[in-house]
Amino acid sequence: MLSEDKMKNVANVIACLSPGTQTNSQVLIINDKRVLLKDTDNIGDKRFVFSSVFTVNRTEVNDYDAYIFCVKSALPEFFIFTRKQLISYIDLYKRDRRVVGFYMGRTTNGSLLDYKDNQMIDLSKFYNNWNVLSV
């Protein structure tokens, strides 16, 4: 169960989600943290319960305290990173790219993954990682 503060964060983020099919990016301030919210619709890949593609330009990686990637599915699905977590993740798996692409989703067997270049990377520790936004 989420604490009252976490519930407020979730409610505030959901209120910012834009309708429609275009990818949307917004800057939010949550608990004095500068947060980049990127949301997009579920792309309907049959291998996944939900999935979507996100990109992050290397120049924007250092601009925010946290990053929220939201797949708008039946319910919004969230992957949340601190700046340090995102930089470490990119350096480990997405080297040598100016624009970093993520294919985030849940497989039909329940795994939370980034699937790219025939590589499946576990994202479960970033799923609903609301602690990142705590005071």
Side-chain angles (χ1 to χ4, degrees), residues 38 54 56 67-71 77-79 81 86 104:
K38 289 190 173 224
F54 297 92
V56 176
Y67 301 81
I68 301 172
F69 301 99
C70 175
V71 179
E77 306 285 355
F78 298 99
F79 296 90
F81 296 75
L86 187 61
M104 297 177 168

Side-chain angles (χ1 to χ4, degrees), residues 85-97:
Q85 288 172 329
L86 187 61
I87 290 170
S88 293
Y89 182 81
I90 289 170
D91 288 346
L92 188 58
Y93 296 109
K94 312 284 184 176
R95 292 187 271 277
D96 303 323
R97 296 185 180 163

